[in-house]
Amino acid sequence: MKTDILSMTFGELSDEFVFLGYPKFRAKQVYEWLHKHLVSDYDEMSNLPKNLREELKEKLPIHCCKIEKKQVSKLDNTVKYLFQLHDGDFIESVVMKYKYGYTICVSSQVGCKMGCAFCASTLGGFKRSLTAGEILSQLYTAQKDIGERISHIVLMGMGEPLDNYDNVMRFLELVTDEQGVNISMRNISLSTCGIVPKIEELLSKHLQLTLSISLHAPSDDIRSGIMPINKKYSVDELLKICRKYTNETSRRISFEYSMLSGFNDTYECARLLASKLKGMLCHVNLIPVNEVAESPYKPSTPERIEKFIDILSKSGINATVRRKLGSDIDASCGQLRLKENKNRKKGDKI
Ligand code: SAH
């Protein structure tokens, strides 16, 4: 952590500069270069003397993401990046354009431990958690590449953000810093498979972000069949903390529900879901599952999804189908890394 300069808060960076014997104002200059001007090379920091730049390269290297591959959807201009980290690992980010601006979906880990049956991130295996700087660097690199300000962030890429709690909290602190890239906490969504004690910890911070819960099923027997985390924290335990969350923060929770044909899309599921969410300040996002080659699940039919929404709406639960962006470029989390690692194993030319 000590030498990971992109993960340091302004206070930590100032202390580090004092410790290294540099004047404090240099810390402010470097911090602004990194987090306001998104510079990733000391040589671009034109107001620093050359000898200081050389020393900093040695002492505090900047570990930023490099674009390994970039795909642009022909359908909707969604951009998917495969980034390489300084140690060679791959992660993915997706930039989407909405009416209100650009949104980036960032990864929080290399791979994932959570084991959700329909998700490509799990299939690729878990390698490690990302530092705050590595999460930030996805935003910085993408923003510089597209040449437009990215105003919204969703922590919905590879990995489970609440399984990397401390680094994700540090990322949130840095990305919302007025001295830095200054993204509003209200423009950030964090998605979790439901690690209940960590949701409780997050709640105690009373942040203005949007909490998304990957629910995907209204009952334990169905949910445990696709999400191992449910064996640890049941649907009812999860929904209990969600109610507490919305009551105490007055923030609407977003429930993600991937529609898996014949599995969790029955009318009975819709009715049970409606009864469990009744009266909660929430929204249900239905997602026709993105097919992953290695997984047996197929997306529900549009008619089935319509009917599902209808049942929820009649019970007063707000539900919509998520617009599917980037479906021609493997934009579902973990798909690109999975392909890349397989190709490399096979020794294919990339
Ligand atoms: N670990 C976090 C965030 C990453 S996944 C979480 O579980 O929420 C982001 C969202 O995409 C989750 O709702 C996840 O369940 C969903 N997802 C993963 N694979 C999918 C697929 N193949 N089709 C549709 N949604 C998928």
Side-chain angles (χ1 to χ4, degrees), residues 227-276:
M227 299 182 72
I229 192 73
N230 197 73
K231 292 179 188 146
K232 206 158 179 191
Y233 309 108
S234 67
V235 170
D236 288 347
E237 271 176 272
L238 178 58
L239 294 180
K240 191 170 163 209
I241 186 73
C242 289
R243 275 190 195 273
K244 189 171 168 200
Y245 194 97
T246 58
N247 288 342
E248 289 186 16
T249 61
S250 304
R251 301 285 297 162
R252 189 173 78 158
I253 286 191
S254 175
F255 289 103
E256 309 296 306
Y257 198 106
S258 293
M259 300 289 281
L260 314 173
S261 181
F263 189 79
N264 65 355
D265 64 348
T266 61
Y267 303 151
E268 201 187 338
C269 279
R271 283 191 284 269
L272 186 58
L273 182 63
S275 73
K276 294 211 168 182

Side-chain angles (χ1 to χ4, degrees), residues 66-327:
K66 298 212 166 47
I67 302 174
E68 174 70 21
K69 209 179 244 179
K70 176 183 170 184
Q71 289 177 291
V72 183
S73 166
K74 290 188 185 71
L75 306 173
D76 50 44
N77 289 327
T78 294
V79 185
K80 173 126 187 177
Y81 294 98
L82 181 73
F83 288 127
Q84 187 163 38
L85 302 170
H86 73 282
D87 63 358
D89 284 330
F90 295 110
I91 51 165
E92 298 170 22
S93 314
V94 183
V95 177
M96 296 151 287
K97 191 176 181 188
Y98 291 100
K99 270 185 242 120
Y100 49 77
Y102 285 90
T103 297
I104 187 165
C105 173
V106 294
S107 294
S108 56
Q109 295 179 313
V110 183
C112 189
K113 293 181 213 159
M114 297 298 124
C116 300
F118 47 85
C119 180
S121 299
T122 278
L123 289 165
F126 175 76
K127 190 81 182 286
R128 68 175 176 90
S129 284
L130 298 183
T131 64
E134 287 170 328
I135 308 174
L136 271 179
S137 179
Q138 299 168 57
L139 164 70
Y140 295 177
T141 309
Q143 178 157 314
K144 277 198 295 185
D145 183 60
I146 63 169
E148 302 274 355
R149 179 174 156 81
I150 296 174
S151 55
H152 291 66
I153 301 174
V154 294
L155 281 147
M156 284 194 188
M158 262 200 289
E160 167 51 48
L162 296 187
D163 184 41
N164 184 19
Y165 187 85
D166 291 344
N167 289 334
V168 166
M169 291 308 121
R170 179 178 278 273
F171 159 75
L172 292 174
E173 184 181 342
L174 287 163
V175 85
T176 55
D177 184 3
E178 285 175 13
Q179 284 194 78
V181 77
N182 193 15
I183 291 192
S184 161
M185 193 66 94
R186 288 183 167 271
N187 293 356
I188 301 176
S189 294
L190 183 151
S191 180
T192 176
C193 64
I195 303 179
V196 170
K198 292 291 172 191
I199 299 175
E200 184 104 52
E201 213 174 319
L202 183 68
L203 166 59
S204 70
K205 289 185 175 286
H206 281 256
L207 302 177
Q208 289 298 300
L209 53 71
T210 299
L211 182 63
S212 280
I213 303 286
S214 298
L215 192 59
H216 305 317
S219 68
D220 287 331
D221 53 340
I222 302 177
R223 196 166 189 262
S224 294
I226 45 173
M227 299 182 72
I229 192 73
N230 197 73
K231 292 179 188 146
K232 206 158 179 191
Y233 309 108
S234 67
V235 170
D236 288 347
E237 271 176 272
L238 178 58
L239 294 180
K240 191 170 163 209
I241 186 73
C242 289
R243 275 190 195 273
K244 189 171 168 200
Y245 194 97
T246 58
N247 288 342
E248 289 186 16
T249 61
S250 304
R251 301 285 297 162
R252 189 173 78 158
I253 286 191
S254 175
F255 289 103
E256 309 296 306
Y257 198 106
S258 293
M259 300 289 281
L260 314 173
S261 181
F263 189 79
N264 65 355
D265 64 348
T266 61
Y267 303 151
E268 201 187 338
C269 279
R271 283 191 284 269
L272 186 58
L273 182 63
S275 73
K276 294 211 168 182
L277 299 184
K278 208 161 185 71
M280 201 190 304
L281 182 62
C282 69
H283 176 90
V284 177
N285 236 325
L286 298 172
I287 315 156
V289 72
N290 267 310
E291 284 189 73
V292 175
E294 289 77 1
S295 126
Y297 300 103
K298 298 269 172 274
S300 306
T301 60
E303 299 73 46
R304 185 50 74 133
I305 299 176
E306 271 311 301
K307 182 73 188 161
F308 207 92
I309 292 188
D310 195 46
I311 294 171
L312 291 176
S313 306
K314 285 197 173 117
S315 304
I317 314 279
N318 193 304
T320 47
V321 186
R322 180 184 289 168
R323 193 155 68 95
K324 202 167 167 178
L325 294 174
S327 51

